[in-house]
Structure formats: C-alpha cells, structure tokens
Amino acid sequence: MRQGEISLAGILALFSLYLMWKSTELPIGYIRGQGPGGGFWPFWLSAGMLLSCGAIAWNWWRGKSPASVSNEPLMDAFGWRTVVLVGGGVIGFVALIAVVSMYGAVCLFLIYYLRFLGRHSWFLTLAMAIALPIGLFFFFEGAMQISMPQGLPFTQPFFDVMYDIIY
C-alpha cells in the first residue's frame, strides 16, 4: 500500500504536468470580450490535480494516511479482478466508439456496468442506458454544438431522428 500510494501520486503528478504543458498551446488566461481561453480549464484543473498530488506526497512522507503506514499488498485478488473487469469494459467502450458511435458506446457500457457488474435491475439499467446517451446527445450536439463520433453508417438513422428533433 505504501509503495502504491506514492507511485500513483507520482504518476498522476507527471500526467498533470503533461496536461498543463499541452494546454498552454491554447490561451490559458481570460480573453477580454470572449471569456476564458481554450486552455483555461484544462490548465487550471491540471494545476489543481498537481497540488493534490503534492498534498498526497506530503502526507505520505509524514505518514499521516493509512496507506502510508501500511505494509499490506496494494490489492488482493478481488481488487485485481475488479480492475480487469472495469478496465476491460473501458477498453471495450473506447473500441466501440468507432463502430456504434459515442452514444451507442455509452449505452452498451452502461448496460455492461450496471447490469452485469453492478447487478442492478433491467428496468434501472435500460432507463439509464437509454436516457443518459440521449441527454448527452442533446447537451453536446444541441446545446454545445460539438459533434461526437457517429460510428459506422448503420447508426445514421438514429442521428437523423435526433437532428430532426434539434433543428
């Protein structure tokens, strides 16, 4: 546990630094008359994450967190199984985006996660798996005017109906 805590804090700190550096390709300050620049939120959220990693490292060094004084293994068999099942689901989600669209991949991931991993009822699973992608569609495509990947051509009828509702 002790090694896992500081290792993860270090990896996340490096990731924070990378995101901060990458977001400076766009303006990170306030642009008069326009609002925050394109890199504002990524930069400052990454800076907050870096500060959090620093706080974790500080508490680890002082031995103030339970993990920093533990000699137990980072994860038991159940923990590794969970990482594989959830990580595999996320990899499947990303792979499905190009096939069934972002919204279809969200729907399938929610079915996998809620019904098969979470063992929730079919009613709740289907309600969430249908409502959330539709809500995301109206938020991104309608309100934000940001198009998400639409997958292969067989998904086009869904988008035709949804765009008719928006426009």
Side-chain angles (χ1 to χ4, degrees):
M1 285 280 233
R2 179 173 168 74
Q3 198 70 337
E5 181 179 39
I6 196 64
S7 298
L8 186 58
I11 290 168
L12 288 175
L14 290 173
F15 186 59
S16 299
L17 289 169
Y18 168 75
L19 290 174
M20 289 171 71
W21 169 72
K22 193 71 176 157
S23 58
T24 59
E25 292 176 359
L26 299 170
I28 62 170
Y30 189 82
I31 302 169
R32 186 182 308 260
Q34 292 183 353
F40 180 87
W41 289 112
F43 181 86
W44 293 107
L45 289 173
S46 298
M49 189 166 80
L50 182 62
L51 290 173
S52 297
C53 291
I56 291 168
W58 175 251
N59 285 332
W60 175 86
W61 183 73
R62 294 181 354 181
K64 295 293 182 183
S65 68
S68 67
V69 294
S70 174
N71 290 322
E72 294 180 29
L74 179 62
M75 287 193 288
D76 59 6
F78 177 77
W80 284 110
R81 181 178 177 271
T82 302
V83 166
V84 168
L85 289 173
V86 174
V90 170
I91 290 169
F93 164 74
V94 172
L96 284 170
I97 291 171
V99 179
V100 295
S101 80
M102 175 66 83
Y103 308 107
V106 167
C107 176
L108 293 173
F109 179 77
L110 286 171
I111 291 170
Y112 167 74
Y113 198 86
L114 292 173
R115 180 65 189 160
F116 298 106
L117 294 185
R119 295 186 174 94
H120 292 283
S121 70
W122 276 110
F123 177 77
L124 174 71
T125 299
L126 292 176
M128 294 296 292
I130 293 169
L132 188 62
I134 290 172
L136 289 172
F137 178 87
F138 286 121
F139 176 74
F140 284 108
E141 309 279 338
M144 300 292 292
Q145 301 281 313
I146 298 172
S147 292
M148 293 290 151
Q150 294 189 1
L152 296 178
F154 71 86
T155 64
Q156 195 57 45
F158 166 79
F159 288 98
D160 291 342
V161 169
M162 298 302 281
Y163 283 126
D164 286 344
I165 293 170
I166 291 176
Y167 302 113

Short mmCIF file of all heavy atoms in Angstrom, two decimals, residues 95-130:
data_model
loop_
_atom_site.label_atom_id
_atom_site.label_comp_id
_atom_site.label_asym_id
_atom_site.label_seq_id
_atom_site.Cartn_x
_atom_site.Cartn_y
_atom_site.Cartn_z
N ALA A 95 -13.15 1.06 -27.82
CA ALA A 95 -13.12 0.35 -29.11
C ALA A 95 -14.45 0.45 -29.85
O ALA A 95 -14.48 0.51 -31.08
CB ALA A 95 -12.74 -1.11 -28.88
N LEU A 96 -15.55 0.49 -29.11
CA LEU A 96 -16.88 0.53 -29.74
C LEU A 96 -17.26 1.90 -30.27
O LEU A 96 -18.19 2.01 -31.07
CB LEU A 96 -17.94 0.05 -28.75
CG LEU A 96 -18.00 -1.45 -28.52
CD1 LEU A 96 -18.92 -1.77 -27.35
CD2 LEU A 96 -18.46 -2.16 -29.78
N ILE A 97 -16.58 2.95 -29.85
CA ILE A 97 -16.94 4.31 -30.29
C ILE A 97 -16.92 4.41 -31.82
O ILE A 97 -17.84 4.96 -32.42
CB ILE A 97 -16.02 5.37 -29.65
CG1 ILE A 97 -16.31 5.46 -28.16
CG2 ILE A 97 -16.20 6.73 -30.32
CD1 ILE A 97 -15.33 6.32 -27.39
N ALA A 98 -15.91 3.86 -32.44
CA ALA A 98 -15.79 3.95 -33.90
C ALA A 98 -16.82 3.09 -34.62
O ALA A 98 -17.10 3.30 -35.79
CB ALA A 98 -14.38 3.53 -34.33
N VAL A 99 -17.40 2.14 -33.92
CA VAL A 99 -18.35 1.22 -34.54
C VAL A 99 -19.80 1.69 -34.34
O VAL A 99 -20.57 1.81 -35.29
CB VAL A 99 -18.18 -0.21 -33.98
CG1 VAL A 99 -19.19 -1.17 -34.60
CG2 VAL A 99 -16.77 -0.71 -34.20
N VAL A 100 -20.18 1.95 -33.09
CA VAL A 100 -21.59 2.24 -32.78
C VAL A 100 -21.81 3.68 -32.32
O VAL A 100 -22.88 3.97 -31.79
CB VAL A 100 -22.13 1.26 -31.71
CG1 VAL A 100 -22.16 -0.16 -32.23
CG2 VAL A 100 -21.36 1.36 -30.42
N SER A 101 -20.86 4.55 -32.48
CA SER A 101 -20.92 5.96 -32.11
C SER A 101 -20.61 6.14 -30.63
O SER A 101 -20.66 5.19 -29.85
CB SER A 101 -22.27 6.62 -32.44
OG SER A 101 -23.24 6.32 -31.47
N MET A 102 -20.34 7.37 -30.26
CA MET A 102 -20.07 7.68 -28.86
C MET A 102 -21.28 7.34 -28.00
O MET A 102 -21.17 6.75 -26.93
CB MET A 102 -19.72 9.16 -28.71
CG MET A 102 -19.54 9.60 -27.27
SD MET A 102 -18.12 8.85 -26.47
CE MET A 102 -16.85 9.93 -27.06
N TYR A 103 -22.46 7.68 -28.49
CA TYR A 103 -23.67 7.48 -27.72
C TYR A 103 -24.03 6.00 -27.61
O TYR A 103 -24.48 5.54 -26.55
CB TYR A 103 -24.82 8.30 -28.31
CG TYR A 103 -24.41 9.73 -28.48
CD1 TYR A 103 -24.16 10.26 -29.74
CD2 TYR A 103 -24.22 10.55 -27.38
CE1 TYR A 103 -23.74 11.57 -29.90
CE2 TYR A 103 -23.79 11.86 -27.52
CZ TYR A 103 -23.57 12.37 -28.78
OH TYR A 103 -23.14 13.67 -28.92
N GLY A 104 -23.83 5.25 -28.67
CA GLY A 104 -24.06 3.81 -28.62
C GLY A 104 -23.08 3.12 -27.68
O GLY A 104 -23.46 2.20 -26.95
N ALA A 105 -21.84 3.58 -27.68
CA ALA A 105 -20.84 3.00 -26.78
C ALA A 105 -21.18 3.30 -25.33
O ALA A 105 -21.01 2.45 -24.46
CB ALA A 105 -19.44 3.53 -27.14
N VAL A 106 -21.67 4.51 -25.06
CA VAL A 106 -22.10 4.85 -23.69
C VAL A 106 -23.25 3.93 -23.28
O VAL A 106 -23.26 3.40 -22.16
CB VAL A 106 -22.52 6.34 -23.59
CG1 VAL A 106 -23.25 6.62 -22.28
CG2 VAL A 106 -21.31 7.24 -23.72
N CYS A 107 -24.20 3.72 -24.16
CA CYS A 107 -25.35 2.84 -23.88
C CYS A 107 -24.88 1.43 -23.55
O CYS A 107 -25.27 0.86 -22.52
CB CYS A 107 -26.30 2.84 -25.08
SG CYS A 107 -27.69 1.71 -24.89
N LEU A 108 -24.03 0.86 -24.38
CA LEU A 108 -23.55 -0.51 -24.15
C LEU A 108 -22.70 -0.62 -22.89
O LEU A 108 -22.78 -1.60 -22.14
CB LEU A 108 -22.78 -1.00 -25.38
CG LEU A 108 -23.63 -1.19 -26.63
CD1 LEU A 108 -22.76 -1.53 -27.83
CD2 LEU A 108 -24.69 -2.25 -26.41
N PHE A 109 -21.87 0.40 -22.64
CA PHE A 109 -21.05 0.39 -21.42
C PHE A 109 -21.93 0.42 -20.18
O PHE A 109 -21.67 -0.29 -19.20
CB PHE A 109 -20.06 1.55 -21.41
CG PHE A 109 -19.22 1.58 -20.16
CD1 PHE A 109 -18.16 0.71 -20.01
CD2 PHE A 109 -19.50 2.47 -19.14
CE1 PHE A 109 -17.39 0.71 -18.86
CE2 PHE A 109 -18.74 2.50 -17.99
CZ PHE A 109 -17.67 1.61 -17.85
N LEU A 110 -22.98 1.25 -20.21
CA LEU A 110 -23.87 1.32 -19.06
C LEU A 110 -24.60 0.00 -18.83
O LEU A 110 -24.79 -0.42 -17.69
CB LEU A 110 -24.87 2.46 -19.23
CG LEU A 110 -24.30 3.86 -19.02
CD1 LEU A 110 -25.32 4.92 -19.41
CD2 LEU A 110 -23.85 4.05 -17.59
N ILE A 111 -25.00 -0.67 -19.89
CA ILE A 111 -25.63 -1.98 -19.75
C ILE A 111 -24.65 -2.96 -19.10
O ILE A 111 -25.00 -3.67 -18.14
CB ILE A 111 -26.14 -2.51 -21.10
CG1 ILE A 111 -27.33 -1.67 -21.57
CG2 ILE A 111 -26.52 -3.98 -21.02
CD1 ILE A 111 -27.77 -1.93 -22.99
N TYR A 112 -23.42 -2.99 -19.61
CA TYR A 112 -22.40 -3.88 -19.04
C TYR A 112 -22.14 -3.55 -17.58
O TYR A 112 -22.12 -4.43 -16.72
CB TYR A 112 -21.11 -3.76 -19.86
CG TYR A 112 -19.89 -4.37 -19.22
CD1 TYR A 112 -19.73 -5.74 -19.17
CD2 TYR A 112 -18.90 -3.58 -18.65
CE1 TYR A 112 -18.63 -6.31 -18.58
CE2 TYR A 112 -17.79 -4.13 -18.06
CZ TYR A 112 -17.65 -5.50 -18.02
OH TYR A 112 -16.56 -6.06 -17.43
N TYR A 113 -21.95 -2.27 -17.29
CA TYR A 113 -21.54 -1.87 -15.96
C TYR A 113 -22.68 -2.00 -14.95
O TYR A 113 -22.49 -2.56 -13.87
CB TYR A 113 -21.03 -0.42 -15.98
CG TYR A 113 -20.22 -0.08 -14.76
CD1 TYR A 113 -18.85 -0.35 -14.73
CD2 TYR A 113 -20.80 0.50 -13.65
CE1 TYR A 113 -18.10 -0.04 -13.62
CE2 TYR A 113 -20.05 0.80 -12.53
CZ TYR A 113 -18.70 0.53 -12.52
OH TYR A 113 -17.95 0.81 -11.41
N LEU A 114 -23.86 -1.50 -15.29
CA LEU A 114 -24.97 -1.52 -14.33
C LEU A 114 -25.55 -2.92 -14.15
O LEU A 114 -25.78 -3.36 -13.03
CB LEU A 114 -26.07 -0.56 -14.77
CG LEU A 114 -25.72 0.92 -14.70
CD1 LEU A 114 -26.83 1.76 -15.33
CD2 LEU A 114 -25.48 1.35 -13.27
N ARG A 115 -25.81 -3.62 -15.26
CA ARG A 115 -26.49 -4.91 -15.15
C ARG A 115 -25.54 -6.04 -14.77
O ARG A 115 -25.82 -6.81 -13.87
CB ARG A 115 -27.20 -5.24 -16.47
CG ARG A 115 -27.92 -6.56 -16.45
CD ARG A 115 -29.07 -6.55 -15.47
NE ARG A 115 -29.61 -7.90 -15.33
CZ ARG A 115 -30.32 -8.29 -14.32
NH1 ARG A 115 -30.61 -7.46 -13.35
NH2 ARG A 115 -30.77 -9.51 -14.26
N PHE A 116 -24.40 -6.13 -15.46
CA PHE A 116 -23.55 -7.29 -15.26
C PHE A 116 -22.53 -7.11 -14.14
O PHE A 116 -22.26 -8.06 -13.41
CB PHE A 116 -22.88 -7.68 -16.58
CG PHE A 116 -23.89 -8.05 -17.62
CD1 PHE A 116 -24.17 -7.21 -18.67
CD2 PHE A 116 -24.60 -9.24 -17.52
CE1 PHE A 116 -25.12 -7.55 -19.62
CE2 PHE A 116 -25.56 -9.58 -18.45
CZ PHE A 116 -25.81 -8.74 -19.51
N LEU A 117 -21.98 -5.94 -13.97
CA LEU A 117 -21.07 -5.72 -12.85
C LEU A 117 -21.82 -5.28 -11.60
O LEU A 117 -21.54 -5.75 -10.50
CB LEU A 117 -19.99 -4.69 -13.21
CG LEU A 117 -19.00 -5.09 -14.29
CD1 LEU A 117 -17.93 -4.03 -14.45
CD2 LEU A 117 -18.37 -6.44 -14.01
N GLY A 118 -22.77 -4.36 -11.75
CA GLY A 118 -23.49 -3.84 -10.60
C GLY A 118 -24.69 -4.64 -10.18
O GLY A 118 -25.24 -4.44 -9.10
N ARG A 119 -25.15 -5.55 -11.05
CA ARG A 119 -26.31 -6.41 -10.78
C ARG A 119 -27.58 -5.61 -10.45
O ARG A 119 -28.36 -6.00 -9.59
CB ARG A 119 -25.98 -7.41 -9.69
CG ARG A 119 -24.91 -8.40 -10.10
CD ARG A 119 -24.72 -9.47 -9.04
NE ARG A 119 -23.81 -10.48 -9.51
CZ ARG A 119 -22.50 -10.48 -9.26
NH1 ARG A 119 -21.96 -9.50 -8.57
NH2 ARG A 119 -21.73 -11.44 -9.72
N HIS A 120 -27.74 -4.48 -11.12
CA HIS A 120 -28.96 -3.70 -10.95
C HIS A 120 -30.07 -4.30 -11.80
O HIS A 120 -29.83 -5.10 -12.70
CB HIS A 120 -28.72 -2.24 -11.34
CG HIS A 120 -27.81 -1.53 -10.40
ND1 HIS A 120 -28.20 -1.08 -9.17
CD2 HIS A 120 -26.49 -1.22 -10.49
CE1 HIS A 120 -27.19 -0.51 -8.54
NE2 HIS A 120 -26.13 -0.58 -9.33
N SER A 121 -31.30 -3.87 -11.56
CA SER A 121 -32.44 -4.40 -12.30
C SER A 121 -32.37 -3.98 -13.77
O SER A 121 -31.73 -2.98 -14.12
CB SER A 121 -33.75 -3.87 -11.70
OG SER A 121 -33.88 -2.49 -11.97
N TRP A 122 -33.06 -4.76 -14.60
CA TRP A 122 -33.12 -4.41 -16.02
C TRP A 122 -33.82 -3.07 -16.22
O TRP A 122 -33.46 -2.31 -17.11
CB TRP A 122 -33.81 -5.50 -16.83
CG TRP A 122 -32.88 -6.60 -17.22
CD1 TRP A 122 -32.86 -7.88 -16.76
CD2 TRP A 122 -31.80 -6.50 -18.16
NE1 TRP A 122 -31.84 -8.59 -17.34
CE2 TRP A 122 -31.17 -7.77 -18.22
CE3 TRP A 122 -31.29 -5.48 -18.96
CZ2 TRP A 122 -30.08 -8.03 -19.03
CZ3 TRP A 122 -30.20 -5.74 -19.78
CH2 TRP A 122 -29.61 -7.00 -19.81
N PHE A 123 -34.82 -2.78 -15.40
CA PHE A 123 -35.53 -1.51 -15.53
C PHE A 123 -34.57 -0.33 -15.33
O PHE A 123 -34.52 0.57 -16.16
CB PHE A 123 -36.69 -1.43 -14.53
CG PHE A 123 -37.40 -0.11 -14.57
CD1 PHE A 123 -38.30 0.17 -15.60
CD2 PHE A 123 -37.15 0.86 -13.62
CE1 PHE A 123 -38.95 1.39 -15.66
CE2 PHE A 123 -37.78 2.09 -13.67
CZ PHE A 123 -38.68 2.36 -14.68
N LEU A 124 -33.84 -0.33 -14.24
CA LEU A 124 -32.89 0.75 -13.99
C LEU A 124 -31.81 0.79 -15.06
O LEU A 124 -31.46 1.86 -15.57
CB LEU A 124 -32.24 0.59 -12.61
CG LEU A 124 -31.13 1.60 -12.31
CD1 LEU A 124 -31.71 2.99 -12.11
CD2 LEU A 124 -30.32 1.17 -11.11
N THR A 125 -31.28 -0.37 -15.41
CA THR A 125 -30.21 -0.44 -16.41
C THR A 125 -30.66 0.15 -17.74
O THR A 125 -29.96 1.00 -18.31
CB THR A 125 -29.77 -1.91 -16.61
OG1 THR A 125 -29.28 -2.41 -15.36
CG2 THR A 125 -28.70 -2.02 -17.67
N LEU A 126 -31.81 -0.27 -18.24
CA LEU A 126 -32.27 0.22 -19.54
C LEU A 126 -32.68 1.69 -19.47
O LEU A 126 -32.45 2.45 -20.42
CB LEU A 126 -33.41 -0.65 -20.06
CG LEU A 126 -33.00 -2.08 -20.45
CD1 LEU A 126 -34.20 -2.89 -20.86
CD2 LEU A 126 -31.93 -2.06 -21.54
N ALA A 127 -33.27 2.10 -18.35
CA ALA A 127 -33.64 3.51 -18.20
C ALA A 127 -32.39 4.40 -18.28
O ALA A 127 -32.38 5.41 -19.00
CB ALA A 127 -34.38 3.73 -16.89
N MET A 128 -31.34 4.03 -17.58
CA MET A 128 -30.10 4.81 -17.59
C MET A 128 -29.39 4.70 -18.94
O MET A 128 -28.88 5.70 -19.45
CB MET A 128 -29.16 4.34 -16.48
CG MET A 128 -29.67 4.61 -15.08
SD MET A 128 -29.83 6.36 -14.73
CE MET A 128 -28.13 6.85 -14.71
N ALA A 129 -29.36 3.49 -19.50
CA ALA A 129 -28.65 3.27 -20.76
C ALA A 129 -29.31 3.96 -21.94
O ALA A 129 -28.66 4.22 -22.95
CB ALA A 129 -28.51 1.76 -21.04
N ILE A 130 -30.58 4.28 -21.83
CA ILE A 130 -31.28 5.00 -22.90
C ILE A 130 -31.30 6.49 -22.62
O ILE A 130 -31.00 7.31 -23.49
CB ILE A 130 -32.70 4.43 -23.10
CG1 ILE A 130 -32.62 3.00 -23.64
CG2 ILE A 130 -33.52 5.32 -24.02
CD1 ILE A 130 -33.92 2.24 -23.63
#
